Structures are given as structure tokens and as C-alpha cells.
Amino acid sequence: MNISKCICVEGRSTISFDDAIKYESITYDEILFNKLEVVDLNAIRYNAERFSALTNTKLCAVVKANAYGHGAEETVNALEGVADFFAVSLIEEGISIRTAVCGKEILVLTPPTDEEEGYALAVNGFIASVST
């Protein structure tokens, strides 16, 4: 793999303490511990489009854990028309983004552990995974 052609399909940036005080909804802890990150969904979309153009392959957008804190539904909406399918960790996450994905397939990365979960995968039309 040529490392120079790899890109991170992400759109966040950590902002400085000085910039943090400009935002009205920031808590003291976020400023104190410099935990605030600004998510730029346009950057996520741009990076995904660029990645797709460079690789000419299908793109699976992994939006598990609330899209790693970016907001699952917001990220799915930002990637509409770019991502070919989506992946989540849990069945519940797939259910929560089902409407936003506009009919695209959803892969559930955690294998079903019992018959009930297998049934939920099938009923919702999700792609199941297996692991060893």
C-alpha cells in the first residue's frame, strides 16, 4: 500500500482555549480540559468524495458509536450520495440511522449472540457479520 495515497476520512479539529471562549454553549470543563472539537461535516463529505475518487471503490462509512462522536444521523446525511453503504456496531444503532440512510445497506459489525438478535438482523434487512 502506498501510504502517500491514504487519507483520513474525517472532518474534525481541536480548537484552542482562546477560540473556545467564543462559543456560548461550552462548559467550563470543556474549556479547562481543552476537550472541545468542532465537527465540520462538509470536510467529512469532501474527504469521502476525494477518497472515492482516488480509489474508485465502494465506500463503507462506519458510523458506530454515534459516528465516533460526530453525530451518526448528521454524518449519514452529510455522506448521502457518497457512501455506498454504512456500518454500525450494534443493531440498535442500525435501527436509529435506518431512515437517514435512504435505503442503503447497513452492516452490523457485532455478530448476533442469540436467536433474537439474528431475527432482528433479518427483520431489519441488515448485513450480518461473523467473527472468530
Side-chain angles (χ1 to χ4, degrees):
M1 176 190 293
N2 185 343
I3 291 294
S4 66
K5 290 189 177 179
C6 292
I7 63 170
C8 181
V9 182
E10 200 168 276
R12 67 179 183 179
S13 61
T14 303
I15 66 172
S16 70
F17 176 83
D18 293 334
D19 289 338
I21 60 174
K22 297 175 186 174
Y23 292 87
E24 293 177 18
S25 63
I26 297 175
T27 67
Y28 175 76
D29 285 342
E30 289 172 325
I31 294 172
L32 182 64
F33 298 108
N34 197 20
K35 292 182 179 178
L36 181 70
E37 293 184 278
V38 176
V39 175
D40 184 345
L41 294 173
N42 291 324
I44 293 172
R45 182 179 179 85
Y46 172 81
N47 290 342
E49 288 172 335
R50 186 78 175 118
F51 180 79
S52 292
L54 288 172
T55 62
N56 197 30
T57 61
K58 287 187 175 184
L59 177 66
C60 175
V62 180
V63 294
K64 65 182 189 150
N66 198 29
Y68 301 97
H70 292 67
E73 287 189 41
E74 295 86 347
T75 303
V76 165
N77 289 331
L79 294 173
E80 184 179 350
V82 180
D84 296 291
F85 61 106
F86 295 88
V88 295
S89 185
L90 306 170
I91 295 168
E92 295 79 11
E93 292 173 325
I95 291 169
S96 73
I97 67 163
R98 183 179 26 211
T99 303
V101 300
C102 299
K104 300 248 173 126
E105 292 186 304
I106 299 172
L107 166 67
V108 178
L109 297 168
T110 304
T113 57
D114 57 31
E115 196 173 316
E116 185 178 322
E117 287 185 359
Y119 179 77
L121 283 167
V123 166
N124 287 290
F126 297 150
I127 302 169
S129 62
V130 295
S131 62
T132 57

